[in-house]
Amino acid sequence: MSSTYLPAGLASRTESLTSSAIRDLLALTARDDVISLAGGLPATDLIPIDRIAAAAEAVLRRPDAVQYCETSGHRTLRSVVAARETLARGGVPVPVESVIVTHGSQQALALLAQALIDPGSVVVVDEPAYTGALQVFSIAEARIESIPITDTGMDTDELERRLTAGLRPAVVHTVANFHNPRGVTMSEQRRRHLAALADRYGFWVIEDDPYGEICFDTMESDIGAPPLPIACHSDRVIRLSSASKILAPTLRVGWFVAPPSVCAAVELLKQGADLCGSSMTQLMAAEMLGDTAWLDAHLTLLRREYGSRATALTTALVAEFGDRLSVSRPAGGMFAWATFRDGTDTGELLDAALDHGVAFVPGTAFASGAQYRHSLRLSFAGSTPTVLADAVQRVGSAHSASTRVL
């Protein structure tokens, strides 16, 4: 909502609130005749509905599923998350007490912003950045500094140069695995470097990881699984994740893993926000995440299908546009990033694309630099290869039409 429409009497922090460009675009693409490559939604056809129903039936036989739970989350789920996080860290033990369960990882990010950021504090983000993080840090009245990302993640050398010159962030936020929107993964070297900088300068790193489990098994993706988490290299790293991308968004189950001081502060803030989350959906998530045989098979399916869709999208883009478009080759996650070399303004192209029944997100939704006017983010997760091929043809037709107008 633009501040122009805010009635008098609201708190001053609401004056800077704006709706996410992606959320606005989703409202425009709800039509059945529009193929949406815009939203970061997991594939509906790959959500394990039968397994979710079985989990619901199982947990509803437990009295604690319909009762309040601890503010920090149901201990059953926290134990499962701690065990999985221990595996992700190469066997380094993660105590249950360091896990806080939230209403999706977006709530985790919002609560952490309240706990770690004073008005006017500096927060460093990727450029281009996850729009949900930009919204949270804007509401927290932070001063946002952007560090460019490359094919190996945030440019930590540039971050170090700015730190040496006097920049003192309270928080550095990054999506290290299969970045949203760029799709890239931070290298092991840069993970170690960022962790060392956090230790040296005393800032917190928020390692936002909703996509790390979705690493593809395709010939194009030769990097394999992502490196060990940044949190393996420093105690000043807070890791966020979620069940939304691998199970179902409707569970609204997210979590973060952090040192005791951060967990204690966030728990107090969460008491004032919602007292506690849903015992039922937390236990459902625990039942599925703890069923390792089923979960491994499910993740194998997701990785294969998303890998196939990513390949279909990028192959179609190259066939349609050739050298006029540079296209990323995602090794996981849900997004591909592309940039026109012919000067195409993707904001203007979007208008033509909607007329042709297809949607994407222009690069300027994620960063304000002039170079992002020529870029776009496309989500391949929600469509089959056949539909993705059709979508790219529509983008091509829209591009031809807009070029003729120019």
Side-chain angles (χ1 to χ4, degrees):
M1 179 183 294
S2 169
S3 59
T4 305
Y5 302 102
L6 291 170
L10 297 181
S12 60
R13 71 175 60 87
T14 64
E15 294 177 3
S16 63
L17 296 182
T18 57
S19 179
S20 162
I22 299 173
R23 292 292 176 263
D24 292 344
L25 185 57
L26 288 177
L28 295 174
T29 59
R31 307 193 317 255
D32 291 337
D33 60 331
V34 173
I35 301 173
S36 180
L37 308 179
L41 282 66
T44 303
D45 60 307
L46 299 178
I47 291 175
I49 294 175
D50 291 342
R51 186 65 182 84
I52 292 170
E57 182 177 359
V59 303
L60 281 174
R61 299 180 187 279
R62 298 176 51 162
D64 58 343
V66 292
Q67 186 55 274
Y68 290 114
C69 66
E70 296 175 76
T71 301
S72 55
H74 201 291
R75 194 170 185 87
T76 301
L77 176 58
R78 294 168 68 204
S79 297
V80 170
V81 170
R84 291 188 61 77
E85 186 69 11
T86 296
L87 288 174
R89 300 187 188 205
V92 177
V94 173
V96 174
E97 290 71 24
S98 67
V99 178
I100 301 289
V101 179
T102 56
H103 190 74
S105 61
Q106 188 70 12
Q107 187 194 44
L109 193 56
L111 290 170
L112 287 166
Q114 293 180 58
L116 304 176
I117 301 168
D118 290 318
S121 294
V122 174
V123 174
V124 169
V125 299
D126 299 317
E127 183 185 291
Y130 166 53
T131 58
L134 295 177
Q135 284 184 308
V136 165
F137 299 141
S138 176
I139 292 170
E141 301 178 72
R143 181 163 67 88
I144 297 175
E145 290 274 338
S146 299
I147 300 291
I149 61 172
T150 69
D151 290 344
T152 54
M154 179 182 284
D155 185 347
T156 54
D157 291 330
E158 173 61 22
L159 174 60
E160 183 171 20
R161 283 190 285 270
R162 296 194 199 181
L163 292 168
T164 302
L167 182 69
R168 291 296 179 267
V171 168
V172 172
H173 174 274
T174 189
V175 182
N177 294 329
F178 316 128
H179 186 269
N180 177 11
R182 279 291 311 278
V184 300
T185 294
M186 181 181 281
S187 67
E188 171 74 15
Q189 179 182 358
R190 285 189 166 175
R191 291 173 192 237
R192 290 182 178 275
H193 190 198
L194 179 56
L197 292 174
D199 288 340
R200 187 188 315 167
Y201 290 96
F203 56 79
W204 292 102
V205 174
I206 297 180
E207 183 180 8
D208 207 342
D209 187 26
Y211 312 108
E213 299 264 29
I214 312 174
C215 50
F216 303 153
D217 181 19
T218 68
M219 293 183 64
E220 287 186 354
S221 304
D222 56 3
I223 68 168
L228 289 173
I230 304 169
C232 289
H233 310 300
S234 171
D235 293 333
R236 299 198 63 82
V237 180
I238 302 162
R239 270 177 55 79
L240 277 62
S241 195
S242 166
S244 294
K245 302 302 188 291
I246 61 172
L247 296 180
T250 193
L251 294 172
R252 305 314 303 136
V253 171
W255 55 82
F256 69 85
V257 182
S261 60
V262 176
C263 290
V266 170
E267 187 170 356
L268 291 174
L269 290 165
K270 194 172 186 299
Q271 287 174 5
D274 65 3
L275 292 180
C276 68
S278 164
S279 297
M280 184 178 73
T281 58
Q282 289 183 30
L283 285 169
M284 288 169 60
E287 208 271 340
M288 288 181 279
L289 294 174
D291 185 351
T292 55
W294 172 82
L295 183 62
D296 288 347
H298 174 62
L299 288 174
T300 297
L301 172 65
L302 284 186
R303 292 163 182 163
R304 183 179 67 244
E305 290 298 321
Y306 281 176
S308 173
R309 294 176 187 199
T311 299
L313 175 65
T314 56
T315 300
L317 287 168
V318 170
E320 181 71 30
F321 293 102
D323 292 338
R324 291 174 295 171
L325 188 72
S326 67
V327 183
S328 69
R329 296 285 186 176
M334 299 170 60
F335 305 107
W337 180 261
T339 300
F340 280 98
R341 297 189 175 103
D342 61 4
T344 296
D345 185 311
T346 55
E348 295 175 358
L349 177 61
L350 176 61
D351 293 334
L354 289 170
D355 289 339
H356 285 76
V358 65
F360 54 81
V361 184
T364 51
F366 308 98
S368 59
Q371 68 270 34
Y372 297 107
R373 291 175 49 243
H374 310 300
S375 297
L376 64 160
R377 188 198 76 177
L378 307 109
S379 176
F380 49 78
S383 300
T384 64
T386 300
V387 173
L388 289 167
D390 183 12
V392 170
Q393 287 182 346
R394 297 186 189 198
V395 175
S397 297
H399 185 268
S400 298
S402 61
T403 302
R404 286 196 298 272
V405 170
L406 294 174

